mmCIF file with all atom_site columns, all heavy atoms in Angstrom:
data_model
loop_
_atom_site.group_PDB
_atom_site.id
_atom_site.type_symbol
_atom_site.label_atom_id
_atom_site.label_alt_id
_atom_site.label_comp_id
_atom_site.label_asym_id
_atom_site.label_entity_id
_atom_site.label_seq_id
_atom_site.pdbx_PDB_ins_code
_atom_site.Cartn_x
_atom_site.Cartn_y
_atom_site.Cartn_z
_atom_site.occupancy
_atom_site.B_iso_or_equiv
_atom_site.pdbx_formal_charge
_atom_site.auth_seq_id
_atom_site.auth_comp_id
_atom_site.auth_asym_id
_atom_site.auth_atom_id
_atom_site.pdbx_PDB_model_num
ATOM 1   N N   . VAL A 1 25 ? -55.932 -117.325 -73.113 1.00 73.00 ? 25 VAL A N   1
ATOM 2   C CA  . VAL A 1 25 ? -55.198 -116.086 -72.871 1.00 73.00 ? 25 VAL A CA  1
ATOM 3   C C   . VAL A 1 25 ? -53.807 -116.155 -73.488 1.00 73.00 ? 25 VAL A C   1
ATOM 4   O O   . VAL A 1 25 ? -53.327 -115.198 -74.121 1.00 73.00 ? 25 VAL A O   1
ATOM 5   C CB  . VAL A 1 25 ? -55.109 -115.800 -71.357 1.00 73.00 ? 25 VAL A CB  1
ATOM 6   C CG1 . VAL A 1 25 ? -54.153 -114.650 -71.080 1.00 73.00 ? 25 VAL A CG1 1
ATOM 7   C CG2 . VAL A 1 25 ? -56.486 -115.484 -70.792 1.00 73.00 ? 25 VAL A CG2 1
ATOM 8   N N   . PHE A 1 26 ? -53.151 -117.309 -73.350 1.00 73.00 ? 26 PHE A N   1
ATOM 9   C CA  . PHE A 1 26 ? -51.825 -117.478 -73.933 1.00 73.00 ? 26 PHE A CA  1
ATOM 10  C C   . PHE A 1 26 ? -51.886 -117.397 -75.458 1.00 73.00 ? 26 PHE A C   1
ATOM 11  O O   . PHE A 1 26 ? -51.025 -116.773 -76.095 1.00 73.00 ? 26 PHE A O   1
ATOM 12  C CB  . PHE A 1 26 ? -51.242 -118.822 -73.499 1.00 73.00 ? 26 PHE A CB  1
ATOM 13  C CG  . PHE A 1 26 ? -49.900 -119.123 -74.105 1.00 73.00 ? 26 PHE A CG  1
ATOM 14  C CD1 . PHE A 1 26 ? -48.765 -118.489 -73.639 1.00 73.00 ? 26 PHE A CD1 1
ATOM 15  C CD2 . PHE A 1 26 ? -49.775 -120.031 -75.151 1.00 73.00 ? 26 PHE A CD2 1
ATOM 16  C CE1 . PHE A 1 26 ? -47.525 -118.753 -74.198 1.00 73.00 ? 26 PHE A CE1 1
ATOM 17  C CE2 . PHE A 1 26 ? -48.546 -120.298 -75.723 1.00 73.00 ? 26 PHE A CE2 1
ATOM 18  C CZ  . PHE A 1 26 ? -47.415 -119.665 -75.233 1.00 73.00 ? 26 PHE A CZ  1
ATOM 19  N N   . TYR A 1 27 ? -52.897 -118.019 -76.057 1.00 71.00 ? 27 TYR A N   1
ATOM 20  C CA  . TYR A 1 27 ? -53.063 -117.954 -77.513 1.00 71.00 ? 27 TYR A CA  1
ATOM 21  C C   . TYR A 1 27 ? -53.298 -116.517 -77.964 1.00 71.00 ? 27 TYR A C   1
ATOM 22  O O   . TYR A 1 27 ? -52.731 -116.067 -78.973 1.00 71.00 ? 27 TYR A O   1
ATOM 23  C CB  . TYR A 1 27 ? -54.234 -118.848 -77.927 1.00 71.00 ? 27 TYR A CB  1
ATOM 24  C CG  . TYR A 1 27 ? -54.537 -118.797 -79.416 1.00 71.00 ? 27 TYR A CG  1
ATOM 25  C CD1 . TYR A 1 27 ? -53.836 -119.599 -80.309 1.00 71.00 ? 27 TYR A CD1 1
ATOM 26  C CD2 . TYR A 1 27 ? -55.514 -117.942 -79.911 1.00 71.00 ? 27 TYR A CD2 1
ATOM 27  C CE1 . TYR A 1 27 ? -54.104 -119.558 -81.672 1.00 71.00 ? 27 TYR A CE1 1
ATOM 28  C CE2 . TYR A 1 27 ? -55.790 -117.878 -81.277 1.00 71.00 ? 27 TYR A CE2 1
ATOM 29  C CZ  . TYR A 1 27 ? -55.078 -118.698 -82.144 1.00 71.00 ? 27 TYR A CZ  1
ATOM 30  O OH  . TYR A 1 27 ? -55.345 -118.637 -83.496 1.00 71.00 ? 27 TYR A OH  1
ATOM 31  N N   . ASP A 1 28 ? -54.111 -115.802 -77.212 1.00 68.00 ? 28 ASP A N   1
ATOM 32  C CA  . ASP A 1 28 ? -54.391 -114.409 -77.574 1.00 68.00 ? 28 ASP A CA  1
ATOM 33  C C   . ASP A 1 28 ? -53.139 -113.549 -77.452 1.00 68.00 ? 28 ASP A C   1
ATOM 34  O O   . ASP A 1 28 ? -52.873 -112.674 -78.277 1.00 68.00 ? 28 ASP A O   1
ATOM 35  C CB  . ASP A 1 28 ? -55.499 -113.859 -76.675 1.00 68.00 ? 28 ASP A CB  1
ATOM 36  C CG  . ASP A 1 28 ? -56.073 -112.556 -77.222 1.00 68.00 ? 28 ASP A CG  1
ATOM 37  O OD1 . ASP A 1 28 ? -56.266 -112.468 -78.442 1.00 68.00 ? 28 ASP A OD1 1
ATOM 38  O OD2 . ASP A 1 28 ? -56.303 -111.636 -76.431 1.00 68.00 ? 28 ASP A OD2 1
ATOM 39  N N   . LEU A 1 29 ? -52.348 -113.809 -76.397 1.00 65.00 ? 29 LEU A N   1
ATOM 40  C CA  . LEU A 1 29 ? -51.103 -113.056 -76.245 1.00 65.00 ? 29 LEU A CA  1
ATOM 41  C C   . LEU A 1 29 ? -50.107 -113.381 -77.348 1.00 65.00 ? 29 LEU A C   1
ATOM 42  O O   . LEU A 1 29 ? -49.341 -112.520 -77.793 1.00 65.00 ? 29 LEU A O   1
ATOM 43  C CB  . LEU A 1 29 ? -50.471 -113.359 -74.877 1.00 65.00 ? 29 LEU A CB  1
ATOM 44  C CG  . LEU A 1 29 ? -51.167 -112.774 -73.652 1.00 65.00 ? 29 LEU A CG  1
ATOM 45  C CD1 . LEU A 1 29 ? -50.510 -113.296 -72.379 1.00 65.00 ? 29 LEU A CD1 1
ATOM 46  C CD2 . LEU A 1 29 ? -51.099 -111.258 -73.675 1.00 65.00 ? 29 LEU A CD2 1
ATOM 47  N N   . LEU A 1 30 ? -50.112 -114.645 -77.797 1.00 65.00 ? 30 LEU A N   1
ATOM 48  C CA  . LEU A 1 30 ? -49.148 -115.088 -78.789 1.00 65.00 ? 30 LEU A CA  1
ATOM 49  C C   . LEU A 1 30 ? -49.464 -114.560 -80.172 1.00 65.00 ? 30 LEU A C   1
ATOM 50  O O   . LEU A 1 30 ? -48.576 -114.142 -80.919 1.00 65.00 ? 30 LEU A O   1
ATOM 51  C CB  . LEU A 1 30 ? -49.080 -116.624 -78.800 1.00 65.00 ? 30 LEU A CB  1
ATOM 52  C CG  . LEU A 1 30 ? -47.969 -117.262 -79.630 1.00 65.00 ? 30 LEU A CG  1
ATOM 53  C CD1 . LEU A 1 30 ? -46.602 -116.857 -79.092 1.00 65.00 ? 30 LEU A CD1 1
ATOM 54  C CD2 . LEU A 1 30 ? -48.108 -118.784 -79.626 1.00 65.00 ? 30 LEU A CD2 1
ATOM 55  N N   . PHE A 1 31 ? -50.751 -114.561 -80.539 1.00 64.00 ? 31 PHE A N   1
ATOM 56  C CA  . PHE A 1 31 ? -51.125 -114.209 -81.908 1.00 64.00 ? 31 PHE A CA  1
ATOM 57  C C   . PHE A 1 31 ? -51.829 -112.857 -82.023 1.00 64.00 ? 31 PHE A C   1
ATOM 58  O O   . PHE A 1 31 ? -52.037 -112.377 -83.119 1.00 64.00 ? 31 PHE A O   1
ATOM 59  C CB  . PHE A 1 31 ? -52.038 -115.297 -82.495 1.00 64.00 ? 31 PHE A CB  1
ATOM 60  C CG  . PHE A 1 31 ? -51.354 -116.619 -82.640 1.00 64.00 ? 31 PHE A CG  1
ATOM 61  C CD1 . PHE A 1 31 ? -51.550 -117.624 -81.704 1.00 64.00 ? 31 PHE A CD1 1
ATOM 62  C CD2 . PHE A 1 31 ? -50.508 -116.864 -83.705 1.00 64.00 ? 31 PHE A CD2 1
ATOM 63  C CE1 . PHE A 1 31 ? -50.915 -118.854 -81.836 1.00 64.00 ? 31 PHE A CE1 1
ATOM 64  C CE2 . PHE A 1 31 ? -49.872 -118.092 -83.844 1.00 64.00 ? 31 PHE A CE2 1
ATOM 65  C CZ  . PHE A 1 31 ? -50.074 -119.092 -82.910 1.00 64.00 ? 31 PHE A CZ  1
ATOM 66  N N   . SER A 1 32 ? -52.219 -112.280 -80.906 1.00 62.00 ? 32 SER A N   1
ATOM 67  C CA  . SER A 1 32 ? -52.893 -110.973 -80.956 1.00 62.00 ? 32 SER A CA  1
ATOM 68  C C   . SER A 1 32 ? -52.229 -109.991 -80.005 1.00 62.00 ? 32 SER A C   1
ATOM 69  O O   . SER A 1 32 ? -52.893 -109.205 -79.337 1.00 62.00 ? 32 SER A O   1
ATOM 70  C CB  . SER A 1 32 ? -54.380 -111.130 -80.600 1.00 62.00 ? 32 SER A CB  1
ATOM 71  O OG  . SER A 1 32 ? -55.004 -112.049 -81.479 1.00 62.00 ? 32 SER A OG  1
ATOM 72  N N   . GLY A 1 33 ? -50.909 -110.066 -79.931 1.00 59.00 ? 33 GLY A N   1
ATOM 73  C CA  . GLY A 1 33 ? -50.190 -109.201 -79.006 1.00 59.00 ? 33 GLY A CA  1
ATOM 74  C C   . GLY A 1 33 ? -50.331 -107.729 -79.342 1.00 59.00 ? 33 GLY A C   1
ATOM 75  O O   . GLY A 1 33 ? -50.366 -106.882 -78.452 1.00 59.00 ? 33 GLY A O   1
ATOM 76  N N   . LYS A 1 34 ? -50.432 -107.408 -80.633 1.00 65.00 ? 34 LYS A N   1
ATOM 77  C CA  . LYS A 1 34 ? -50.550 -106.008 -81.025 1.00 65.00 ? 34 LYS A CA  1
ATOM 78  C C   . LYS A 1 34 ? -51.852 -105.393 -80.517 1.00 65.00 ? 34 LYS A C   1
ATOM 79  O O   . LYS A 1 34 ? -51.880 -104.239 -80.091 1.00 65.00 ? 34 LYS A O   1
ATOM 80  C CB  . LYS A 1 34 ? -50.460 -105.886 -82.534 1.00 65.00 ? 34 LYS A CB  1
ATOM 81  C CG  . LYS A 1 34 ? -49.082 -106.238 -83.088 1.00 65.00 ? 34 LYS A CG  1
ATOM 82  C CD  . LYS A 1 34 ? -49.036 -106.023 -84.592 1.00 65.00 ? 34 LYS A CD  1
ATOM 83  C CE  . LYS A 1 34 ? -47.648 -106.337 -85.148 1.00 65.00 ? 34 LYS A CE  1
ATOM 84  N NZ  . LYS A 1 34 ? -47.577 -106.149 -86.607 1.00 65.00 ? 34 LYS A NZ  1
ATOM 85  N N   . ASN A 1 35 ? -52.925 -106.180 -80.577 1.00 68.00 ? 35 ASN A N   1
ATOM 86  C CA  . ASN A 1 35 ? -54.207 -105.660 -80.083 1.00 68.00 ? 35 ASN A CA  1
ATOM 87  C C   . ASN A 1 35 ? -54.156 -105.379 -78.583 1.00 68.00 ? 35 ASN A C   1
ATOM 88  O O   . ASN A 1 35 ? -54.686 -104.366 -78.108 1.00 68.00 ? 35 ASN A O   1
ATOM 89  C CB  . ASN A 1 35 ? -55.328 -106.648 -80.392 1.00 68.00 ? 35 ASN A CB  1
ATOM 90  C CG  . ASN A 1 35 ? -55.522 -106.841 -81.894 1.00 68.00 ? 35 ASN A CG  1
ATOM 91  O OD1 . ASN A 1 35 ? -55.238 -105.936 -82.675 1.00 68.00 ? 35 ASN A OD1 1
ATOM 92  N ND2 . ASN A 1 35 ? -55.974 -108.018 -82.290 1.00 68.00 ? 35 ASN A ND2 1
ATOM 93  N N   . ILE A 1 36 ? -53.509 -106.276 -77.843 1.00 68.00 ? 36 ILE A N   1
ATOM 94  C CA  . ILE A 1 36 ? -53.401 -106.080 -76.400 1.00 68.00 ? 36 ILE A CA  1
ATOM 95  C C   . ILE A 1 36 ? -52.527 -104.862 -76.101 1.00 68.00 ? 36 ILE A C   1
ATOM 96  O O   . ILE A 1 36 ? -52.839 -104.049 -75.230 1.00 68.00 ? 36 ILE A O   1
ATOM 97  C CB  . ILE A 1 36 ? -52.840 -107.345 -75.733 1.00 68.00 ? 36 ILE A CB  1
ATOM 98  C CG1 . ILE A 1 36 ? -53.820 -108.503 -75.927 1.00 68.00 ? 36 ILE A CG1 1
ATOM 99  C CG2 . ILE A 1 36 ? -52.571 -107.108 -74.255 1.00 68.00 ? 36 ILE A CG2 1
ATOM 100 C CD1 . ILE A 1 36 ? -53.322 -109.820 -75.409 1.00 68.00 ? 36 ILE A CD1 1
ATOM 101 N N   . ALA A 1 37 ? -51.424 -104.728 -76.856 1.00 69.00 ? 37 ALA A N   1
ATOM 102 C CA  . ALA A 1 37 ? -50.550 -103.570 -76.650 1.00 69.00 ? 37 ALA A CA  1
ATOM 103 C C   . ALA A 1 37 ? -51.281 -102.271 -76.979 1.00 69.00 ? 37 ALA A C   1
ATOM 104 O O   . ALA A 1 37 ? -51.127 -101.265 -76.272 1.00 69.00 ? 37 ALA A O   1
ATOM 105 C CB  . ALA A 1 37 ? -49.305 -103.714 -77.522 1.00 69.00 ? 37 ALA A CB  1
ATOM 106 N N   . THR A 1 38 ? -52.105 -102.307 -78.024 1.00 76.00 ? 38 THR A N   1
ATOM 107 C CA  . THR A 1 38 ? -52.896 -101.120 -78.380 1.00 76.00 ? 38 THR A CA  1
ATOM 108 C C   . THR A 1 38 ? -53.894 -100.777 -77.289 1.00 76.00 ? 38 THR A C   1
ATOM 109 O O   . THR A 1 38 ? -54.100 -99.602  -76.951 1.00 76.00 ? 38 THR A O   1
ATOM 110 C CB  . THR A 1 38 ? -53.625 -101.349 -79.708 1.00 76.00 ? 38 THR A CB  1
ATOM 111 O OG1 . THR A 1 38 ? -52.661 -101.676 -80.725 1.00 76.00 ? 38 THR A OG1 1
ATOM 112 C CG2 . THR A 1 38 ? -54.400 -100.122 -80.129 1.00 76.00 ? 38 THR A CG2 1
ATOM 113 N N   . PHE A 1 39 ? -54.507 -101.814 -76.704 1.00 73.00 ? 39 PHE A N   1
ATOM 114 C CA  . PHE A 1 39 ? -55.474 -101.595 -75.629 1.00 73.00 ? 39 PHE A CA  1
ATOM 115 C C   . PHE A 1 39 ? -54.814 -100.940 -74.423 1.00 73.00 ? 39 PHE A C   1
ATOM 116 O O   . PHE A 1 39 ? -55.330 -99.960  -73.863 1.00 73.00 ? 39 PHE A O   1
ATOM 117 C CB  . PHE A 1 39 ? -56.111 -102.925 -75.226 1.00 73.00 ? 39 PHE A CB  1
ATOM 118 C CG  . PHE A 1 39 ? -56.934 -102.861 -73.975 1.00 73.00 ? 39 PHE A CG  1
ATOM 119 C CD1 . PHE A 1 39 ? -58.210 -102.312 -73.994 1.00 73.00 ? 39 PHE A CD1 1
ATOM 120 C CD2 . PHE A 1 39 ? -56.430 -103.333 -72.768 1.00 73.00 ? 39 PHE A CD2 1
ATOM 121 C CE1 . PHE A 1 39 ? -58.969 -102.236 -72.832 1.00 73.00 ? 39 PHE A CE1 1
ATOM 122 C CE2 . PHE A 1 39 ? -57.179 -103.272 -71.610 1.00 73.00 ? 39 PHE A CE2 1
ATOM 123 C CZ  . PHE A 1 39 ? -58.451 -102.717 -71.649 1.00 73.00 ? 39 PHE A CZ  1
ATOM 124 N N   . PHE A 1 40 ? -53.654 -101.475 -74.014 1.00 73.00 ? 40 PHE A N   1
ATOM 125 C CA  . PHE A 1 40 ? -52.968 -100.908 -72.857 1.00 73.00 ? 40 PHE A CA  1
ATOM 126 C C   . PHE A 1 40 ? -52.462 -99.493  -73.155 1.00 73.00 ? 40 PHE A C   1
ATOM 127 O O   . PHE A 1 40 ? -52.496 -98.615  -72.285 1.00 73.00 ? 40 PHE A O   1
ATOM 128 C CB  . PHE A 1 40 ? -51.806 -101.806 -72.430 1.00 73.00 ? 40 PHE A CB  1
ATOM 129 C CG  . PHE A 1 40 ? -52.234 -103.002 -71.630 1.00 73.00 ? 40 PHE A CG  1
ATOM 130 C CD1 . PHE A 1 40 ? -52.201 -104.267 -72.176 1.00 73.00 ? 40 PHE A CD1 1
ATOM 131 C CD2 . PHE A 1 40 ? -52.672 -102.852 -70.325 1.00 73.00 ? 40 PHE A CD2 1
ATOM 132 C CE1 . PHE A 1 40 ? -52.603 -105.374 -71.440 1.00 73.00 ? 40 PHE A CE1 1
ATOM 133 C CE2 . PHE A 1 40 ? -53.076 -103.942 -69.570 1.00 73.00 ? 40 PHE A CE2 1
ATOM 134 C CZ  . PHE A 1 40 ? -53.036 -105.214 -70.132 1.00 73.00 ? 40 PHE A CZ  1
ATOM 135 N N   . ASP A 1 41 ? -51.977 -99.276  -74.383 1.00 76.00 ? 41 ASP A N   1
ATOM 136 C CA  . ASP A 1 41 ? -51.503 -97.942  -74.750 1.00 76.00 ? 41 ASP A CA  1
ATOM 137 C C   . ASP A 1 41 ? -52.643 -96.925  -74.704 1.00 76.00 ? 41 ASP A C   1
ATOM 138 O O   . ASP A 1 41 ? -52.477 -95.804  -74.208 1.00 76.00 ? 41 ASP A O   1
ATOM 139 C CB  . ASP A 1 41 ? -50.881 -97.990  -76.147 1.00 76.00 ? 41 ASP A CB  1
ATOM 140 C CG  . ASP A 1 41 ? -50.280 -96.649  -76.540 1.00 76.00 ? 41 ASP A CG  1
ATOM 141 O OD1 . ASP A 1 41 ? -49.336 -96.203  -75.884 1.00 76.00 ? 41 ASP A OD1 1
ATOM 142 O OD2 . ASP A 1 41 ? -50.774 -96.046  -77.511 1.00 76.00 ? 41 ASP A OD2 1
#
Side-chain angles (χ1 to χ4, degrees):
V25 170
F26 177 76
Y27 177 84
D28 194 41
L29 288 174
L30 189 62
F31 295 100
S32 303
K34 293 183 179 180
N35 297 332
I36 296 175
T38 303
F39 170 77
F40 281 108
D41 184 63

